[in-house]
Amino acid sequence: MSEDLIENQTNFNYTYDTRRPLPLITVQVTVGLGGFLSLISVMANVYILHIIRINKDMRSPSYYGLVNLSIANLLVAIFYPLPPAFILITSFTRWQNSRILTNVVCGFILPLSVVALNVANGTLAFMAISKYYSINIDAASERKLSKGKAVTILIIIWFLACMLHWPRTIIVMPKSFIAAVCTIYINDSLSRNMMLIFASITILGPFIIMFISHIQIDKKLKQRRRFFLSATILKDLKIQDSIHGGNSTRTLNNALRMLRQVTLIQFVCCLSCTVGLYISVLGYMSKSNPYLVGFSFTLIYVSAVVTGLHGPILYIFHLKKFRQPLRSFFTSATSNSIISNPSIK
């Protein structure tokens, strides 16, 4: 038993072991970074959901989408870092071959996190299209349509994400094992190719829609500045700043800057996740440097978690309804600290 363990450790550190494709240090880095970023993502998205819950006037499609996006981001933040954690916990133990644990990790935890990531991308595409139509058609008509169909569309996004991933998960379940991150690092070329194709479509597809929509929004807002500055459109786009003479241009630039930032950061995260997946999987297939494979795996997980982190931060930074409660909280906390400790003055 001890000789077999030494041999496995040697293989794990220097050569490819089909039971342990990833160097242990890369798994540790993935768990550490993923866990830290997930914790921040959970707090940010819970805060967004709390603000929407206490503001009953948030009933436009963008806010419906934001609720759905925050829920998807929470699932990604909670479940996505778990597979690497299970790899780390079960390394060199009999639990790595447990079919019950494998079914839980590969049949529920990982598929749910991937579905949630796909839903987040789909929701961002929905929000982009919703904002585009709010500019191109009458705002009242857009709100009337959203009340009857926004929730249905978001449910359909969840259904499509499940149908794109879970059937394949069930099919390849007999080939899954924890150390290979279920089916990412297996010797079945057909399963790998299917995974890469589906990953490319589900990750980049919604983003392309979102990117095109944001470009069209940018063009329309520049062409129809006066229409954009009307109170109805400002309310629908969640820009709550006062419109007073010189502030109008600042409001317009703030909206455009936020849209560009969301689009750009989402693009970088999705592209990094996809590139990391291809480098890691193809590197494993070609038996490249195992640390290249391992740290590319880290890039996949970090990029996926960050997709749920930048949105809440940008909303808090740009939108007064999300920024004001935080400002009030810190102001109140500072005042109470000064009152309770007069020596601070």
Side-chain angles (χ1 to χ4, degrees):
M1 177 68 180
S2 60
E3 294 178 357
D4 181 62
L5 179 59
I6 293 174
E7 179 181 357
N8 287 339
Q9 288 177 327
T10 302
N11 289 337
F12 180 55
N13 289 328
Y14 300 102
T15 62
Y16 277 96
D17 184 348
T18 56
R19 292 171 296 175
R20 303 181 186 92
L22 299 172
L24 185 60
I25 184 63
T26 63
V27 180
Q28 293 171 334
V29 171
T30 302
V31 172
L33 283 177
F36 175 73
L37 293 174
S38 292
L39 179 62
I40 300 176
S41 181
V42 167
M43 292 188 295
N45 284 285
V46 167
Y47 173 77
I48 295 296
L49 289 173
H50 172 68
I51 296 300
I52 294 176
R53 183 184 66 84
I54 63 178
N55 287 276
K56 296 183 178 180
D57 60 322
M58 297 181 177
R59 294 294 182 267
S60 72
S62 291
Y63 282 125
Y64 293 146
L66 191 54
V67 170
N68 196 62
L69 179 62
S70 296
I71 293 174
N73 289 338
L74 280 175
L75 292 177
V76 172
I78 294 171
F79 289 101
Y80 216 77
L82 291 182
F86 277 105
I87 295 174
L88 190 61
I89 293 171
T90 61
S91 293
F92 309 112
T93 70
R94 295 181 179 180
W95 282 101
Q96 66 181 349
N97 298 319
S98 170
R99 292 313 304 175
I100 295 177
L101 187 59
T102 299
N103 290 337
V104 172
V105 175
C106 299
F108 176 73
I109 293 177
L110 184 59
L112 178 60
S113 59
V114 173
V115 166
L117 179 60
N118 294 337
V119 168
N121 286 336
T123 303
L124 285 171
F126 163 76
M127 294 170 64
I129 294 173
S130 172
K131 289 185 177 183
Y132 175 75
Y133 277 103
S134 72
I135 297 172
N136 282 274
I137 64 176
D138 179 72
S141 175
E142 190 271 340
R143 285 196 300 270
K144 182 178 180 180
L145 179 65
S146 70
K147 288 181 179 180
K149 296 184 178 180
V151 175
T152 302
I153 293 173
L154 295 174
I155 292 175
I156 291 174
I157 292 175
W158 278 98
F159 175 77
L160 292 177
C162 291
M163 292 305 296
L164 283 172
H165 191 74
W166 245 301
R168 175 188 169 277
T169 298
I170 296 173
I171 293 173
V172 301
M173 182 59 66
K175 303 176 183 179
S176 302
F177 61 102
I178 295 175
V181 198
C182 299
T183 58
I184 292 181
Y185 306 107
I186 61 175
N187 293 321
D188 188 337
S189 59
L190 177 61
S191 297
R192 281 199 305 262
N193 293 337
M194 289 177 58
M195 177 192 64
L196 292 174
I197 292 173
F198 275 102
S200 300
I201 294 174
T202 56
I203 291 178
L204 296 180
F207 172 76
I208 292 174
I209 297 174
M210 180 184 64
F211 184 71
I212 294 173
S213 297
H214 279 300
I215 290 177
Q216 295 300 318
I217 289 172
D218 189 44
K219 291 180 179 178
K220 289 294 181 180
L221 291 181
K222 289 180 179 179
Q223 293 172 359
R224 304 177 64 180
R225 179 185 295 256
R226 293 181 181 178
F227 185 65
F228 171 75
L229 292 175
S230 67
T232 303
I233 296 302
L234 287 175
K235 181 180 179 181
D236 186 70
L237 288 177
K238 318 300 173 301
I239 306 300
Q240 301 297 330
D241 296 319
S242 300
I243 306 174
H244 295 296
N247 290 337
S248 60
T249 301
R250 188 181 310 164
T251 301
L252 174 60
N253 293 334
N254 187 53
L256 296 177
R257 183 166 58 253
M258 184 181 69
L259 294 176
R260 285 192 296 266
Q261 288 174 352
V262 170
T263 302
L264 178 60
I265 297 176
Q266 191 71 13
F267 170 76
V268 172
C269 292
C270 291
L271 183 62
S272 299
C273 189
T274 305
V275 170
L277 180 63
Y278 271 85
I279 293 176
S280 191
V281 173
L282 296 179
Y284 173 76
M285 291 172 58
S286 61
K287 298 298 182 286
S288 299
N289 188 313
Y291 291 95
L292 174 65
V293 175
F295 284 114
S296 297
F297 171 76
T298 302
L299 178 63
I300 298 170
Y301 271 75
V302 170
S303 300
V305 174
V306 171
T307 59
L309 183 58
H310 75 275
I313 293 176
L314 288 175
Y315 286 125
I316 293 171
F317 180 77
H318 285 286
L319 307 181
K320 187 176 180 180
K321 280 193 174 182
F322 296 110
R323 183 173 63 249
Q324 189 60 43
L326 276 179
R327 181 179 298 174
S328 300
F329 171 79
F330 286 114
T331 300
S332 176
T334 302
S335 301
N336 292 335
S337 177
I338 294 175
I339 293 174
S340 60
N341 298 280
S343 60
I344 296 179
K345 294 182 179 180

mmCIF file with all atom_site columns, all heavy atoms in Angstrom, residues 107-132:
data_model
loop_
_atom_site.group_PDB
_atom_site.id
_atom_site.type_symbol
_atom_site.label_atom_id
_atom_site.label_alt_id
_atom_site.label_comp_id
_atom_site.label_asym_id
_atom_site.label_entity_id
_atom_site.label_seq_id
_atom_site.pdbx_PDB_ins_code
_atom_site.Cartn_x
_atom_site.Cartn_y
_atom_site.Cartn_z
_atom_site.occupancy
_atom_site.B_iso_or_equiv
_atom_site.pdbx_formal_charge
_atom_site.auth_seq_id
_atom_site.auth_comp_id
_atom_site.auth_asym_id
_atom_site.auth_atom_id
_atom_site.pdbx_PDB_model_num
ATOM 1   N N   . GLY A 1 107 ? -22.726 14.632 -10.740 1.00 0.00 ? 107 GLY A N   1
ATOM 2   C CA  . GLY A 1 107 ? -24.108 14.570 -11.198 1.00 0.00 ? 107 GLY A CA  1
ATOM 3   C C   . GLY A 1 107 ? -24.985 15.692 -10.698 1.00 0.00 ? 107 GLY A C   1
ATOM 4   O O   . GLY A 1 107 ? -26.089 15.899 -11.214 1.00 0.00 ? 107 GLY A O   1
ATOM 5   N N   . PHE A 1 108 ? -24.490 16.441 -9.696  1.00 0.00 ? 108 PHE A N   1
ATOM 6   C CA  . PHE A 1 108 ? -25.308 17.534 -9.150  1.00 0.00 ? 108 PHE A CA  1
ATOM 7   C C   . PHE A 1 108 ? -24.525 18.836 -8.993  1.00 0.00 ? 108 PHE A C   1
ATOM 8   O O   . PHE A 1 108 ? -24.897 19.862 -9.561  1.00 0.00 ? 108 PHE A O   1
ATOM 9   C CB  . PHE A 1 108 ? -25.905 17.133 -7.803  1.00 0.00 ? 108 PHE A CB  1
ATOM 10  C CG  . PHE A 1 108 ? -26.683 18.235 -7.143  1.00 0.00 ? 108 PHE A CG  1
ATOM 11  C CD1 . PHE A 1 108 ? -27.927 18.621 -7.631  1.00 0.00 ? 108 PHE A CD1 1
ATOM 12  C CD2 . PHE A 1 108 ? -26.153 18.919 -6.050  1.00 0.00 ? 108 PHE A CD2 1
ATOM 13  C CE1 . PHE A 1 108 ? -28.639 19.654 -7.027  1.00 0.00 ? 108 PHE A CE1 1
ATOM 14  C CE2 . PHE A 1 108 ? -26.856 19.952 -5.446  1.00 0.00 ? 108 PHE A CE2 1
ATOM 15  C CZ  . PHE A 1 108 ? -28.101 20.313 -5.939  1.00 0.00 ? 108 PHE A CZ  1
ATOM 16  N N   . ILE A 1 109 ? -23.426 18.802 -8.229  1.00 0.00 ? 109 ILE A N   1
ATOM 17  C CA  . ILE A 1 109 ? -22.727 20.044 -7.885  1.00 0.00 ? 109 ILE A CA  1
ATOM 18  C C   . ILE A 1 109 ? -22.149 20.726 -9.126  1.00 0.00 ? 109 ILE A C   1
ATOM 19  O O   . ILE A 1 109 ? -22.421 21.912 -9.390  1.00 0.00 ? 109 ILE A O   1
ATOM 20  C CB  . ILE A 1 109 ? -21.619 19.763 -6.853  1.00 0.00 ? 109 ILE A CB  1
ATOM 21  C CG1 . ILE A 1 109 ? -22.235 19.340 -5.523  1.00 0.00 ? 109 ILE A CG1 1
ATOM 22  C CG2 . ILE A 1 109 ? -20.751 21.004 -6.653  1.00 0.00 ? 109 ILE A CG2 1
ATOM 23  C CD1 . ILE A 1 109 ? -21.210 18.977 -4.458  1.00 0.00 ? 109 ILE A CD1 1
ATOM 24  N N   . LEU A 1 110 ? -21.328 20.004 -9.881  1.00 0.00 ? 110 LEU A N   1
ATOM 25  C CA  . LEU A 1 110 ? -20.708 20.612 -11.061 1.00 0.00 ? 110 LEU A CA  1
ATOM 26  C C   . LEU A 1 110 ? -21.729 20.980 -12.136 1.00 0.00 ? 110 LEU A C   1
ATOM 27  O O   . LEU A 1 110 ? -21.678 22.101 -12.673 1.00 0.00 ? 110 LEU A O   1
ATOM 28  C CB  . LEU A 1 110 ? -19.634 19.684 -11.637 1.00 0.00 ? 110 LEU A CB  1
ATOM 29  C CG  . LEU A 1 110 ? -18.839 20.252 -12.815 1.00 0.00 ? 110 LEU A CG  1
ATOM 30  C CD1 . LEU A 1 110 ? -18.124 21.538 -12.416 1.00 0.00 ? 110 LEU A CD1 1
ATOM 31  C CD2 . LEU A 1 110 ? -17.827 19.224 -13.326 1.00 0.00 ? 110 LEU A CD2 1
ATOM 32  N N   . PRO A 1 111 ? -22.694 20.092 -12.469 1.00 0.00 ? 111 PRO A N   1
ATOM 33  C CA  . PRO A 1 111 ? -23.700 20.497 -13.467 1.00 0.00 ? 111 PRO A CA  1
ATOM 34  C C   . PRO A 1 111 ? -24.506 21.715 -13.033 1.00 0.00 ? 111 PRO A C   1
ATOM 35  O O   . PRO A 1 111 ? -24.795 22.587 -13.861 1.00 0.00 ? 111 PRO A O   1
ATOM 36  C CB  . PRO A 1 111 ? -24.593 19.252 -13.593 1.00 0.00 ? 111 PRO A CB  1
ATOM 37  C CG  . PRO A 1 111 ? -23.733 18.126 -13.159 1.00 0.00 ? 111 PRO A CG  1
ATOM 38  C CD  . PRO A 1 111 ? -22.844 18.675 -12.088 1.00 0.00 ? 111 PRO A CD  1
ATOM 39  N N   . LEU A 1 112 ? -24.866 21.790 -11.746 1.00 0.00 ? 112 LEU A N   1
ATOM 40  C CA  . LEU A 1 112 ? -25.645 22.933 -11.276 1.00 0.00 ? 112 LEU A CA  1
ATOM 41  C C   . LEU A 1 112 ? -24.850 24.227 -11.414 1.00 0.00 ? 112 LEU A C   1
ATOM 42  O O   . LEU A 1 112 ? -25.392 25.264 -11.836 1.00 0.00 ? 112 LEU A O   1
ATOM 43  C CB  . LEU A 1 112 ? -26.053 22.727 -9.827  1.00 0.00 ? 112 LEU A CB  1
ATOM 44  C CG  . LEU A 1 112 ? -26.845 23.876 -9.179  1.00 0.00 ? 112 LEU A CG  1
ATOM 45  C CD1 . LEU A 1 112 ? -28.144 24.133 -9.937  1.00 0.00 ? 112 LEU A CD1 1
ATOM 46  C CD2 . LEU A 1 112 ? -27.120 23.576 -7.712  1.00 0.00 ? 112 LEU A CD2 1
ATOM 47  N N   . SER A 1 113 ? -23.562 24.190 -11.084 1.00 0.00 ? 113 SER A N   1
ATOM 48  C CA  . SER A 1 113 ? -22.754 25.401 -11.191 1.00 0.00 ? 113 SER A CA  1
ATOM 49  C C   . SER A 1 113 ? -22.565 25.817 -12.647 1.00 0.00 ? 113 SER A C   1
ATOM 50  O O   . SER A 1 113 ? -22.587 27.012 -12.965 1.00 0.00 ? 113 SER A O   1
ATOM 51  C CB  . SER A 1 113 ? -21.394 25.183 -10.527 1.00 0.00 ? 113 SER A CB  1
ATOM 52  O OG  . SER A 1 113 ? -20.693 24.115 -11.128 1.00 0.00 ? 113 SER A OG  1
ATOM 53  N N   . VAL A 1 114 ? -22.408 24.842 -13.555 1.00 0.00 ? 114 VAL A N   1
ATOM 54  C CA  . VAL A 1 114 ? -22.262 25.166 -14.970 1.00 0.00 ? 114 VAL A CA  1
ATOM 55  C C   . VAL A 1 114 ? -23.571 25.707 -15.530 1.00 0.00 ? 114 VAL A C   1
ATOM 56  O O   . VAL A 1 114 ? -23.579 26.675 -16.301 1.00 0.00 ? 114 VAL A O   1
ATOM 57  C CB  . VAL A 1 114 ? -21.805 23.921 -15.764 1.00 0.00 ? 114 VAL A CB  1
ATOM 58  C CG1 . VAL A 1 114 ? -21.816 24.210 -17.259 1.00 0.00 ? 114 VAL A CG1 1
ATOM 59  C CG2 . VAL A 1 114 ? -20.410 23.498 -15.329 1.00 0.00 ? 114 VAL A CG2 1
ATOM 60  N N   . VAL A 1 115 ? -24.690 25.098 -15.141 1.00 0.00 ? 115 VAL A N   1
ATOM 61  C CA  . VAL A 1 115 ? -26.001 25.601 -15.566 1.00 0.00 ? 115 VAL A CA  1
ATOM 62  C C   . VAL A 1 115 ? -26.196 27.030 -15.079 1.00 0.00 ? 115 VAL A C   1
ATOM 63  O O   . VAL A 1 115 ? -26.659 27.905 -15.823 1.00 0.00 ? 115 VAL A O   1
ATOM 64  C CB  . VAL A 1 115 ? -27.122 24.691 -15.036 1.00 0.00 ? 115 VAL A CB  1
ATOM 65  C CG1 . VAL A 1 115 ? -28.490 25.370 -15.160 1.00 0.00 ? 115 VAL A CG1 1
ATOM 66  C CG2 . VAL A 1 115 ? -27.137 23.366 -15.796 1.00 0.00 ? 115 VAL A CG2 1
ATOM 67  N N   . ALA A 1 116 ? -25.838 27.295 -13.820 1.00 0.00 ? 116 ALA A N   1
ATOM 68  C CA  . ALA A 1 116 ? -25.982 28.650 -13.271 1.00 0.00 ? 116 ALA A CA  1
ATOM 69  C C   . ALA A 1 116 ? -25.117 29.651 -14.033 1.00 0.00 ? 116 ALA A C   1
ATOM 70  O O   . ALA A 1 116 ? -25.546 30.787 -14.287 1.00 0.00 ? 116 ALA A O   1
ATOM 71  C CB  . ALA A 1 116 ? -25.625 28.656 -11.789 1.00 0.00 ? 116 ALA A CB  1
ATOM 72  N N   . LEU A 1 117 ? -23.911 29.242 -14.418 1.00 0.00 ? 117 LEU A N   1
ATOM 73  C CA  . LEU A 1 117 ? -23.041 30.121 -15.192 1.00 0.00 ? 117 LEU A CA  1
ATOM 74  C C   . LEU A 1 117 ? -23.657 30.424 -16.561 1.00 0.00 ? 117 LEU A C   1
ATOM 75  O O   . LEU A 1 117 ? -23.636 31.571 -17.024 1.00 0.00 ? 117 LEU A O   1
ATOM 76  C CB  . LEU A 1 117 ? -21.667 29.477 -15.373 1.00 0.00 ? 117 LEU A CB  1
ATOM 77  C CG  . LEU A 1 117 ? -20.633 30.273 -16.183 1.00 0.00 ? 117 LEU A CG  1
ATOM 78  C CD1 . LEU A 1 117 ? -20.354 31.626 -15.532 1.00 0.00 ? 117 LEU A CD1 1
ATOM 79  C CD2 . LEU A 1 117 ? -19.348 29.469 -16.327 1.00 0.00 ? 117 LEU A CD2 1
ATOM 80  N N   . ASN A 1 118 ? -24.221 29.407 -17.192 1.00 0.00 ? 118 ASN A N   1
ATOM 81  C CA  . ASN A 1 118 ? -24.889 29.615 -18.477 1.00 0.00 ? 118 ASN A CA  1
ATOM 82  C C   . ASN A 1 118 ? -26.115 30.506 -18.329 1.00 0.00 ? 118 ASN A C   1
ATOM 83  O O   . ASN A 1 118 ? -26.399 31.346 -19.191 1.00 0.00 ? 118 ASN A O   1
ATOM 84  C CB  . ASN A 1 118 ? -25.298 28.269 -19.084 1.00 0.00 ? 118 ASN A CB  1
ATOM 85  C CG  . ASN A 1 118 ? -24.103 27.424 -19.471 1.00 0.00 ? 118 ASN A CG  1
ATOM 86  O OD1 . ASN A 1 118 ? -23.019 27.937 -19.696 1.00 0.00 ? 118 ASN A OD1 1
ATOM 87  N ND2 . ASN A 1 118 ? -24.293 26.115 -19.528 1.00 0.00 ? 118 ASN A ND2 1
ATOM 88  N N   . VAL A 1 119 ? -26.846 30.330 -17.227 1.00 0.00 ? 119 VAL A N   1
ATOM 89  C CA  . VAL A 1 119 ? -28.019 31.176 -16.970 1.00 0.00 ? 119 VAL A CA  1
ATOM 90  C C   . VAL A 1 119 ? -27.587 32.622 -16.761 1.00 0.00 ? 119 VAL A C   1
ATOM 91  O O   . VAL A 1 119 ? -28.261 33.554 -17.223 1.00 0.00 ? 119 VAL A O   1
ATOM 92  C CB  . VAL A 1 119 ? -28.799 30.660 -15.746 1.00 0.00 ? 119 VAL A CB  1
ATOM 93  C CG1 . VAL A 1 119 ? -29.837 31.679 -15.291 1.00 0.00 ? 119 VAL A CG1 1
ATOM 94  C CG2 . VAL A 1 119 ? -29.485 29.337 -16.078 1.00 0.00 ? 119 VAL A CG2 1
ATOM 95  N N   . ALA A 1 120 ? -26.468 32.829 -16.065 1.00 0.00 ? 120 ALA A N   1
ATOM 96  C CA  . ALA A 1 120 ? -25.972 34.197 -15.859 1.00 0.00 ? 120 ALA A CA  1
ATOM 97  C C   . ALA A 1 120 ? -25.679 34.865 -17.192 1.00 0.00 ? 120 ALA A C   1
ATOM 98  O O   . ALA A 1 120 ? -26.054 36.021 -17.419 1.00 0.00 ? 120 ALA A O   1
ATOM 99  C CB  . ALA A 1 120 ? -24.730 34.177 -14.974 1.00 0.00 ? 120 ALA A CB  1
ATOM 100 N N   . ASN A 1 121 ? -25.022 34.138 -18.096 1.00 0.00 ? 121 ASN A N   1
ATOM 101 C CA  . ASN A 1 121 ? -24.738 34.695 -19.418 1.00 0.00 ? 121 ASN A CA  1
ATOM 102 C C   . ASN A 1 121 ? -26.020 34.949 -20.190 1.00 0.00 ? 121 ASN A C   1
ATOM 103 O O   . ASN A 1 121 ? -26.169 35.987 -20.847 1.00 0.00 ? 121 ASN A O   1
ATOM 104 C CB  . ASN A 1 121 ? -23.824 33.747 -20.204 1.00 0.00 ? 121 ASN A CB  1
ATOM 105 C CG  . ASN A 1 121 ? -22.396 33.770 -19.710 1.00 0.00 ? 121 ASN A CG  1
ATOM 106 O OD1 . ASN A 1 121 ? -21.952 34.736 -19.109 1.00 0.00 ? 121 ASN A OD1 1
ATOM 107 N ND2 . ASN A 1 121 ? -21.679 32.688 -19.928 1.00 0.00 ? 121 ASN A ND2 1
ATOM 108 N N   . GLY A 1 122 ? -26.958 34.000 -20.121 1.00 0.00 ? 122 GLY A N   1
ATOM 109 C CA  . GLY A 1 122 ? -28.235 34.187 -20.804 1.00 0.00 ? 122 GLY A CA  1
ATOM 110 C C   . GLY A 1 122 ? -29.031 35.350 -20.242 1.00 0.00 ? 122 GLY A C   1
ATOM 111 O O   . GLY A 1 122 ? -29.689 36.086 -20.987 1.00 0.00 ? 122 GLY A O   1
ATOM 112 N N   . THR A 1 123 ? -28.956 35.535 -18.929 1.00 0.00 ? 123 THR A N   1
ATOM 113 C CA  . THR A 1 123 ? -29.674 36.652 -18.300 1.00 0.00 ? 123 THR A CA  1
ATOM 114 C C   . THR A 1 123 ? -29.075 37.988 -18.708 1.00 0.00 ? 123 THR A C   1
ATOM 115 O O   . THR A 1 123 ? -29.799 38.967 -18.931 1.00 0.00 ? 123 THR A O   1
ATOM 116 C CB  . THR A 1 123 ? -29.639 36.505 -16.769 1.00 0.00 ? 123 THR A CB  1
ATOM 117 O OG1 . THR A 1 123 ? -30.204 35.241 -16.405 1.00 0.00 ? 123 THR A OG1 1
ATOM 118 C CG2 . THR A 1 123 ? -30.431 37.621 -16.102 1.00 0.00 ? 123 THR A CG2 1
ATOM 119 N N   . LEU A 1 124 ? -27.756 38.049 -18.810 1.00 0.00 ? 124 LEU A N   1
ATOM 120 C CA  . LEU A 1 124 ? -27.117 39.278 -19.277 1.00 0.00 ? 124 LEU A CA  1
ATOM 121 C C   . LEU A 1 124 ? -27.539 39.601 -20.705 1.00 0.00 ? 124 LEU A C   1
ATOM 122 O O   . LEU A 1 124 ? -27.755 40.768 -21.055 1.00 0.00 ? 124 LEU A O   1
ATOM 123 C CB  . LEU A 1 124 ? -25.596 39.147 -19.190 1.00 0.00 ? 124 LEU A CB  1
ATOM 124 C CG  . LEU A 1 124 ? -25.000 39.235 -17.779 1.00 0.00 ? 124 LEU A CG  1
ATOM 125 C CD1 . LEU A 1 124 ? -23.527 38.865 -17.813 1.00 0.00 ? 124 LEU A CD1 1
ATOM 126 C CD2 . LEU A 1 124 ? -25.191 40.625 -17.193 1.00 0.00 ? 124 LEU A CD2 1
ATOM 127 N N   . ALA A 1 125 ? -27.673 38.572 -21.530 1.00 0.00 ? 125 ALA A N   1
ATOM 128 C CA  . ALA A 1 125 ? -28.158 38.792 -22.889 1.00 0.00 ? 125 ALA A CA  1
ATOM 129 C C   . ALA A 1 125 ? -29.592 39.298 -22.877 1.00 0.00 ? 125 ALA A C   1
ATOM 130 O O   . ALA A 1 125 ? -29.953 40.221 -23.625 1.00 0.00 ? 125 ALA A O   1
ATOM 131 C CB  . ALA A 1 125 ? -28.060 37.496 -23.697 1.00 0.00 ? 125 ALA A CB  1
ATOM 132 N N   . PHE A 1 126 ? -30.426 38.724 -22.012 1.00 0.00 ? 126 PHE A N   1
ATOM 133 C CA  . PHE A 1 126 ? -31.817 39.179 -21.872 1.00 0.00 ? 126 PHE A CA  1
ATOM 134 C C   . PHE A 1 126 ? -31.874 40.640 -21.424 1.00 0.00 ? 126 PHE A C   1
ATOM 135 O O   . PHE A 1 126 ? -32.661 41.433 -21.950 1.00 0.00 ? 126 PHE A O   1
ATOM 136 C CB  . PHE A 1 126 ? -32.541 38.286 -20.861 1.00 0.00 ? 126 PHE A CB  1
ATOM 137 C CG  . PHE A 1 126 ? -33.811 38.876 -20.325 1.00 0.00 ? 126 PHE A CG  1
ATOM 138 C CD1 . PHE A 1 126 ? -34.971 38.886 -21.098 1.00 0.00 ? 126 PHE A CD1 1
ATOM 139 C CD2 . PHE A 1 126 ? -33.852 39.426 -19.058 1.00 0.00 ? 126 PHE A CD2 1
ATOM 140 C CE1 . PHE A 1 126 ? -36.146 39.438 -20.613 1.00 0.00 ? 126 PHE A CE1 1
ATOM 141 C CE2 . PHE A 1 126 ? -35.022 39.974 -18.561 1.00 0.00 ? 126 PHE A CE2 1
ATOM 142 C CZ  . PHE A 1 126 ? -36.170 39.981 -19.341 1.00 0.00 ? 126 PHE A CZ  1
ATOM 143 N N   . MET A 1 127 ? -31.055 41.003 -20.447 1.00 0.00 ? 127 MET A N   1
ATOM 144 C CA  . MET A 1 127 ? -31.043 42.376 -19.957 1.00 0.00 ? 127 MET A CA  1
ATOM 145 C C   . MET A 1 127 ? -30.587 43.348 -21.040 1.00 0.00 ? 127 MET A C   1
ATOM 146 O O   . MET A 1 127 ? -31.110 44.460 -21.164 1.00 0.00 ? 127 MET A O   1
ATOM 147 C CB  . MET A 1 127 ? -30.145 42.481 -18.726 1.00 0.00 ? 127 MET A CB  1
ATOM 148 C CG  . MET A 1 127 ? -30.651 41.724 -17.518 1.00 0.00 ? 127 MET A CG  1
ATOM 149 S SD  . MET A 1 127 ? -29.449 41.626 -16.161 1.00 0.00 ? 127 MET A SD  1
ATOM 150 C CE  . MET A 1 127 ? -29.294 43.352 -15.725 1.00 0.00 ? 127 MET A CE  1
ATOM 151 N N   . ALA A 1 128 ? -29.601 42.931 -21.842 1.00 0.00 ? 128 ALA A N   1
ATOM 152 C CA  . ALA A 1 128 ? -29.115 43.803 -22.911 1.00 0.00 ? 128 ALA A CA  1
ATOM 153 C C   . ALA A 1 128 ? -30.198 44.025 -23.962 1.00 0.00 ? 128 ALA A C   1
ATOM 154 O O   . ALA A 1 128 ? -30.431 45.146 -24.414 1.00 0.00 ? 128 ALA A O   1
ATOM 155 C CB  . ALA A 1 128 ? -27.869 43.194 -23.554 1.00 0.00 ? 128 ALA A CB  1
ATOM 156 N N   . ILE A 1 129 ? -30.879 42.939 -24.351 1.00 0.00 ? 129 ILE A N   1
ATOM 157 C CA  . ILE A 1 129 ? -31.957 43.056 -25.339 1.00 0.00 ? 129 ILE A CA  1
ATOM 158 C C   . ILE A 1 129 ? -33.098 43.896 -24.779 1.00 0.00 ? 129 ILE A C   1
ATOM 159 O O   . ILE A 1 129 ? -33.688 44.726 -25.482 1.00 0.00 ? 129 ILE A O   1
ATOM 160 C CB  . ILE A 1 129 ? -32.456 41.659 -25.747 1.00 0.00 ? 129 ILE A CB  1
ATOM 161 C CG1 . ILE A 1 129 ? -31.350 40.904 -26.486 1.00 0.00 ? 129 ILE A CG1 1
ATOM 162 C CG2 . ILE A 1 129 ? -33.696 41.759 -26.624 1.00 0.00 ? 129 ILE A CG2 1
ATOM 163 C CD1 . ILE A 1 129 ? -31.682 39.454 -26.783 1.00 0.00 ? 129 ILE A CD1 1
ATOM 164 N N   . SER A 1 130 ? -33.411 43.706 -23.487 1.00 0.00 ? 130 SER A N   1
ATOM 165 C CA  . SER A 1 130 ? -34.475 44.473 -22.853 1.00 0.00 ? 130 SER A CA  1
ATOM 166 C C   . SER A 1 130 ? -34.175 45.965 -22.877 1.00 0.00 ? 130 SER A C   1
ATOM 167 O O   . SER A 1 130 ? -35.038 46.799 -23.182 1.00 0.00 ? 130 SER A O   1
ATOM 168 C CB  . SER A 1 130 ? -34.678 43.987 -21.411 1.00 0.00 ? 130 SER A CB  1
ATOM 169 O OG  . SER A 1 130 ? -35.564 44.812 -20.712 1.00 0.00 ? 130 SER A OG  1
ATOM 170 N N   . LYS A 1 131 ? -32.931 46.326 -22.567 1.00 0.00 ? 131 LYS A N   1
ATOM 171 C CA  . LYS A 1 131 ? -32.555 47.745 -22.592 1.00 0.00 ? 131 LYS A CA  1
ATOM 172 C C   . LYS A 1 131 ? -32.580 48.297 -24.010 1.00 0.00 ? 131 LYS A C   1
ATOM 173 O O   . LYS A 1 131 ? -32.959 49.451 -24.228 1.00 0.00 ? 131 LYS A O   1
ATOM 174 C CB  . LYS A 1 131 ? -31.165 47.930 -21.966 1.00 0.00 ? 131 LYS A CB  1
ATOM 175 C CG  . LYS A 1 131 ? -31.149 47.731 -20.455 1.00 0.00 ? 131 LYS A CG  1
ATOM 176 C CD  . LYS A 1 131 ? -29.777 48.044 -19.884 1.00 0.00 ? 131 LYS A CD  1
ATOM 177 C CE  . LYS A 1 131 ? -29.780 47.915 -18.366 1.00 0.00 ? 131 LYS A CE  1
ATOM 178 N NZ  . LYS A 1 131 ? -28.482 48.273 -17.771 1.00 0.00 ? 131 LYS A NZ  1
ATOM 179 N N   . TYR A 1 132 ? -32.182 47.468 -24.956 1.00 0.00 ? 132 TYR A N   1
ATOM 180 C CA  . TYR A 1 132 ? -32.201 47.922 -26.355 1.00 0.00 ? 132 TYR A CA  1
ATOM 181 C C   . TYR A 1 132 ? -33.618 48.242 -26.797 1.00 0.00 ? 132 TYR A C   1
ATOM 182 O O   . TYR A 1 132 ? -33.878 49.292 -27.398 1.00 0.00 ? 132 TYR A O   1
ATOM 183 C CB  . TYR A 1 132 ? -31.591 46.843 -27.249 1.00 0.00 ? 132 TYR A CB  1
ATOM 184 C CG  . TYR A 1 132 ? -31.683 47.162 -28.722 1.00 0.00 ? 132 TYR A CG  1
ATOM 185 C CD1 . TYR A 1 132 ? -30.849 48.119 -29.294 1.00 0.00 ? 132 TYR A CD1 1
ATOM 186 C CD2 . TYR A 1 132 ? -32.606 46.518 -29.530 1.00 0.00 ? 132 TYR A CD2 1
ATOM 187 C CE1 . TYR A 1 132 ? -30.932 48.425 -30.643 1.00 0.00 ? 132 TYR A CE1 1
ATOM 188 C CE2 . TYR A 1 132 ? -32.699 46.819 -30.886 1.00 0.00 ? 132 TYR A CE2 1
ATOM 189 C CZ  . TYR A 1 132 ? -31.858 47.763 -31.436 1.00 0.00 ? 132 TYR A CZ  1
ATOM 190 O OH  . TYR A 1 132 ? -31.950 48.062 -32.764 1.00 0.00 ? 132 TYR A OH  1
#
